[in-house]
Every structure is written in C-alpha cells, then in structure tokens.
Amino acid sequence: MRTPAAALVRSDFLRAPVLWTARPDGYKEWHHFVVHRAGLRLLVNFSLMCETLPGRPPLLVPRVIVIAHEERWTGAVARFTEAPEVSADFATLTVGPNRMSLRPDGYRLVVELADRGISGELHLQPSGRP
C-alpha cells in the first residue's frame, strides 16, 4: 500500500553531504515546516548554507529558525558554530540540540532554543490530501 508517508521516505533526504562536498560555493539547503491550525501559526526551518570568507575555506553553517504566533508573534534565528550531523541514511539532521528526522510515518522535529525560550517537539504526518 502506498501512503503519503511512504512517498516522503522514497523522495526526501538531506542533500548536504553530496552537494556541499561537490559544489560548496553558494550552497544552500533548507527544510521548512509550516503548521496552521486554529489560533496557531508556526514555521520551523532547518537550514544549511555555505559561508565563504576571504582567505578561509568554505564553512557549512547550520541554522534553526522558528517563528510562531499564538497570542503574539515570537521567534528566533539561531546560528550554530559546531558542525551539523547527518545520519548515514541522510534522513536525520542534528544541529546542536535540535533535530529533524524523516521517519516512515512522517517528520519528527525537536527544537531546543532554550536561551531564547523556545523548545518543543513535533510529529508531522502527511494527510494524503492535496
């Protein structure tokens, strides 16, 4: 049986280990997750980008961005200096204490931006509706 989650597992993965190594200049990859429901608007973004500075080798810079609105807008952009970790199957990205995983039943996000008062865990499953 083909499910929306199965389609994700077959088609989505982190491209960073392949593309970053081959073409670092101008490299960017991001995964956006947007949740809309009554009284809540949430965007979570995991991004990797190449930073090039004169006289230094290219650096892969991971960021986690969260923007939310419940009763008011809040958010943060966190840039990390430590290298991101990518699982051998390219399905999990770990950035500091934050993690994005593609699982057989959808995505699991763990966001820990404690110094900015933002933390949480989401499990996002595709609905099968367009």
Side-chain angles (χ1 to χ4, degrees):
M1 181 169 134
R2 293 188 179 231
T3 65
L8 283 176
V9 171
R10 284 191 311 274
S11 64
D12 199 11
F13 60 92
L14 290 160
R15 289 141 185 92
V18 177
L19 294 179
W20 159 253
T21 304
R23 298 185 311 254
D25 290 342
Y27 173 80
K28 291 182 184 178
E29 179 172 4
W30 55 87
H31 289 261
H32 292 289
F33 301 91
V34 179
V35 176
H36 288 272
R37 65 171 213 215
L40 174 68
R41 302 291 180 259
L42 174 68
L43 176 133
V44 178
N45 174 278
F46 282 76
S47 68
L48 301 170
M49 59 182 273
C50 178
E51 180 178 276
T52 53
L53 298 172
R56 291 183 35 198
L59 178 66
L60 186 61
V61 178
R63 294 186 311 174
V64 176
I65 301 166
V66 177
I67 300 170
H69 184 271
E70 201 160 16
E71 294 180 16
R72 63 181 177 86
W73 286 102
T74 188
V77 176
R79 181 184 188 276
F80 292 84
T81 55
E82 66 265 20
E85 295 178 22
V86 177
S87 63
D89 63 0
F90 303 141
T92 300
L93 171 65
T94 303
V95 177
N98 306 279
R99 189 172 52 260
M100 174 194 81
S101 298
L102 175 57
R103 301 167 13 149
D105 58 347
Y107 290 95
R108 180 170 177 253
L109 309 178
V110 175
V111 176
E112 291 294 336
L113 303 176
D115 60 333
R116 296 181 171 94
I118 298 172
S119 65
E121 186 172 323
L122 289 171
H123 183 207
L124 305 170
Q125 296 177 295
S127 67
R129 295 178 297 185

